[in-house]
Amino acid sequence: MIAALKQQVRGANLELVERGLVFDTFGNASGIDRDLGLVVIKPSGVPYGELSPDDMAVVSLESGEHLEGLKPSSDTPTHLEIYRSFATVGGVAHTHSTWASSWAQAHRSIPCFGTTHADYFKGAVPCSRDLTGQEIAGAYEKETGRVIVETFEALDPDDVPAVLVASHGVFTWGRDASRAVLHAAVVEQVARMAQLSLELSPDLGQISPQLLDRHFLRKHGIHAYYGQANG
């Protein structure tokens, strides 16, 4: 089981490159086996083209202990906080993709202006608050995870499986690592579309709640009808 998860997570990390969401060794993707209580994540600082399944780092969800593979990503504590707090999450991705990270650096949530956004996120992609000096000086990566969780105190992480971390970048999640990567790609696309829309119409308002709900719910939830029944 863990061997299959290593293969899946390696593939998700390579997909980050294929989708143009990462450069150099920035970014990472992970997946979890909740029955085993194990998380598989990209090793720290290893070029994507050199990754093998055996290189993938395995850590304990509960303790964060490194159990197998190369040294795990420095962002591992952030991933673990997301898994511990959002019980339905099966995979997490992190990028510094250009358009979405620009919104994060501007400390702005990405508004939902149209149906492309609404097909994946039920409302704005939120931007977190700044970490305090004490949080930065302490367990920085763990505190980053905690500020993500804090951002979702009044939001459903299944409805909006993405967040911008202020001054930092993007974290997304989904039912598995590949879905988390897809959400990272969608965030990048809607971030670009939102910026261009505001350039064309600076006073643009967000999509109507009715149209937002229609597009989101036709793809998600018990009454979803988009796609094939066995998909």
Side-chain angles (χ1 to χ4, degrees):
M1 181 68 74
I2 201 67
L5 185 58
K6 287 180 180 180
Q7 289 276 15
Q8 293 168 16
V9 172
R10 175 182 179 270
N13 278 280
L14 296 180
E15 190 178 353
L16 288 173
V17 179
E18 293 166 2
R19 290 182 177 272
L21 297 172
V22 297
F23 63 96
D24 195 26
T25 59
F26 286 19
N28 40 71
S30 69
I32 188 170
D33 185 318
R34 290 194 178 271
D35 291 335
L36 296 177
L38 298 176
V39 171
V40 175
I41 191 167
K42 179 184 180 291
S44 179
V46 178
Y48 287 87
E50 298 177 10
L51 289 174
S52 74
D54 289 339
D55 291 334
M56 305 309 295
V58 181
V59 300
S60 164
L61 173 64
E62 182 176 358
S63 67
E65 179 185 1
H66 178 206
L67 302 173
E68 293 181 26
L70 299 179
K71 176 185 174 184
S73 166
S74 58
D75 293 310
T76 298
T78 308
H79 288 239
L80 293 179
E81 286 300 307
I82 293 171
Y83 286 124
R84 291 166 183 158
S85 298
F86 302 158
T88 60
V89 170
V92 175
H94 171 48
T95 79
H96 295 253
S97 60
T98 303
W99 291 87
S101 295
S102 296
W103 285 81
Q105 291 180 173
H107 296 72
R108 290 189 60 180
S109 301
I110 305 172
C112 183
F113 289 132
T115 61
T116 306
H117 185 130
D119 278 339
Y120 290 90
F121 308 117
K122 195 178 181 184
V125 175
C127 186
S128 75
R129 65 166 174 83
D130 285 310
L131 273 71
T132 66
Q134 184 176 2
E135 288 167 336
I136 295 169
Y140 168 64
E141 290 83 5
K142 185 180 182 73
E143 296 295 348
T144 298
R146 287 177 172 172
V147 82
I148 290 171
V149 173
E150 175 189 309
T151 304
F152 280 79
E153 287 179 351
L155 295 172
D156 186 336
D158 290 335
D159 286 348
V160 185
V163 68
L164 308 179
V165 177
S167 302
H168 187 165
V170 187
F171 282 86
T172 58
W173 47 88
R175 62 176 177 257
D176 54 29
S178 181
R179 191 70 177 181
V181 171
L182 171 62
H183 289 155
V186 175
V187 170
E188 180 68 355
Q189 178 72 4
V190 300
R192 183 179 185 183
M193 293 171 69
Q195 180 61 35
L196 294 173
S197 297
L198 286 172
E199 290 177 10
L200 290 166
S201 181
D203 298 324
L204 180 65
Q206 295 196 56
I207 192 173
S208 73
Q210 183 179 11
L211 189 55
L212 168 63
D213 284 350
R214 181 67 191 224
H215 266 263
F216 183 81
L217 294 174
R218 73 175 187 163
K219 293 186 74 171
H220 308 275
I222 59 174
H223 299 300
Y225 60 88
Y226 179 91
Q228 303 303 310
N230 62 355

